[in-house]
């Protein structure tokens, strides 16, 4: 996806289905898109592969991975015998910080906590890690959702027997199921705190457990449709960033090819001809981007608008969070390394986070990007 982004190849949306035939057809659609790009640029088969796999990575500007955001969710995942060798390297050498691709829930966000439970014959909670990527949905993988775990810490073992015997922990639904189907099960903040409570009562040190950052409760009213996200969450923060209603245009229609139109949700400080404008910032709002496929589609849609409008910044948002990306001179944005990503509750309640956002997309900043 990154290589296609930098080449301006728009991939088809990932289908949401359990039908393998649909994924086969999705593969066919990808091949068709690549074939059209091949014909447009008069490339041989070998040249097409060289372009996508060798040339495109050279165009991607290297970026320093952003600091991991505060965790807001906890996920319980399983480890089979084939994983034990990797897990046992944790803490084996001072300074060693292994990373590993792991199955996850597709709603996993970068920075979330990943609690790893070793299945039989070990049958105990082994360690707590952090997700270094969002949950990545891969329609061509048997285990369709993956993340990369990092910054793992060993925690005192908690056996399945102990989980069953504790008054609170025994009532967690996945424990009642004997940890069957453990991969990608969400634990509530209360569940996580109770695990730490149990370890502390047992007399073990709990300082190694990563802290879960809980967002402040914010009442934005009833959020049922995309328009609610725009009017009850996004627009009020735009006022705080110095914008007035006249500084942005909603649903700005732009020419996007013969007979085609692009209609981005929010276009900031546009200038130029009506249907051929340029703008330094564009924002696309969705109701819910928690499924990774929805976030991928929102990113691709917004990036296509940013290219048409020659924008230097783009952002996508939903009822939970705002994500901002820098767009380079080639019309490319690094989908895995946004320059800003926060929950709305944090943006509204934390003055430092609000100030950071203002430094990135505040009106005075964006005005200077023309």
């Amino acid at each position: 996806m990154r290589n296609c982004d930098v080449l301006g190849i728009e991939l088809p949306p990932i289908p949401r289905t359990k039908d393998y035939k649909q994924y086969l057809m999705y593969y066919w659609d990808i091949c068709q898109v690549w074939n059209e790009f091949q014909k447009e640029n008069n490339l041989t088969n070998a040249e097409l592969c060289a372009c996508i796999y060798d040339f495109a990575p050279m165009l991607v500007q290297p970026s320093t991975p952003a600091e991991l955001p505060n965790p807001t969710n906890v996920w319980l995942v399983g480890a089979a015998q084939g994983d034990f060798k990797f897990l046992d390297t944790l803490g084996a050498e001072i300074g060693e910080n292994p990373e590993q691709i792991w199955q996850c829930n597709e709603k996993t966000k970068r920075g979330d906590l990943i609690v790893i439970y070793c299945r039989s014959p070990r049958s105990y909670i082994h360690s707590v890690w952090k997700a270094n990527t969002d949950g990545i949905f891969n329609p061509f993988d048997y285990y369709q959702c993956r993340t990369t775990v990092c910054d793992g810490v060993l925690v005192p073992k908690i056996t399945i027997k102990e989980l069953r015997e504790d008054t609170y922990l025994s009532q967690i639904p996945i424990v009642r199921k004997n940890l069957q189907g453990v991969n990608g099960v969400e634990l509530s903040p209360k569940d996580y705190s109770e695990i730490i409570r149990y370890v502390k009562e047992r007399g073990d040190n709990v300082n190694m457990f990563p802290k879960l950052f809980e967002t402040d409760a914010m009442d934005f009213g009833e959020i049922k449709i995309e328009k609610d996200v725009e009017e009850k969450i996004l627009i009020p923060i735009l006022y705080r960033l110095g914008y007035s209603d006249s500084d942005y245009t909603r649903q700005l229609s732009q020419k996007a090819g013969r007979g085609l139109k692009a209609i981005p949700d929010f276009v900031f400080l546009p200038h130029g001809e009506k249907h051929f404008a340029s703008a330094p910032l564009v924002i696309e709002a969705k109701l819910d981007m928690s499924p990774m496929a929805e976030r991928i589609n929102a990113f691709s849609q917004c990036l296509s608008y940013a290219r048409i409008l020659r924008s230097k910044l783009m952002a996508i948002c939903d009822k939970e969070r705002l994500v901002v990306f820098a767009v380079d001179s080639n019309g490319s944005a690094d989908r895995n390394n946004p320059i800003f990503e926060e929950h709305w509750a944090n943006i509204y309640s934390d003055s430092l986070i609000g100030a950071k956002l203002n430094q990135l997309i505040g009106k005075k900043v964006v005005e200077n990007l023309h």
Side-chain angles (χ1 to χ4, degrees), residues 267-278:
V267 176
F268 292 80
L269 307 174
H271 63 281
E273 296 183 29
K274 181 178 179 181
H275 294 294
F276 300 93
S278 61

Side-chain angles (χ1 to χ4, degrees), residues 116-178:
I116 291 187
Y117 171 81
C118 291
R119 296 194 183 97
S120 179
R122 294 191 176 184
S123 303
Y124 59 75
I125 291 176
H126 173 276
S127 49
V128 181
W129 302 67
K130 291 185 178 180
N132 200 22
T133 64
D134 290 348
I136 297 172
F137 182 84
N138 181 359
F140 306 124
D141 195 331
Y142 180 78
Y143 299 105
Q144 291 183 328
C145 295
R146 301 296 185 100
T147 186
T148 301
V149 296
C150 67
D151 296 344
V153 292
L154 286 169
V155 298
K157 298 175 183 176
I158 309 174
T159 66
I160 188 171
K161 182 174 182 293
E162 292 174 305
L163 293 171
R164 290 173 183 154
E165 291 175 349
D166 182 77
T167 302
Y168 181 90
L169 300 179
S170 63
Q171 298 306 307
I172 297 176
I174 190 63
V175 177
R176 297 178 68 177
K177 294 179 182 177
N178 292 320

Side-chain angles (χ1 to χ4, degrees), residues 220-233:
F220 295 112
E222 198 171 37
I223 308 295
K224 284 189 171 182
I225 58 176
E226 190 176 293
K227 189 176 181 181
D228 293 335
V229 175
E230 298 174 356
E231 299 189 350
K232 297 180 180 180
I233 305 178

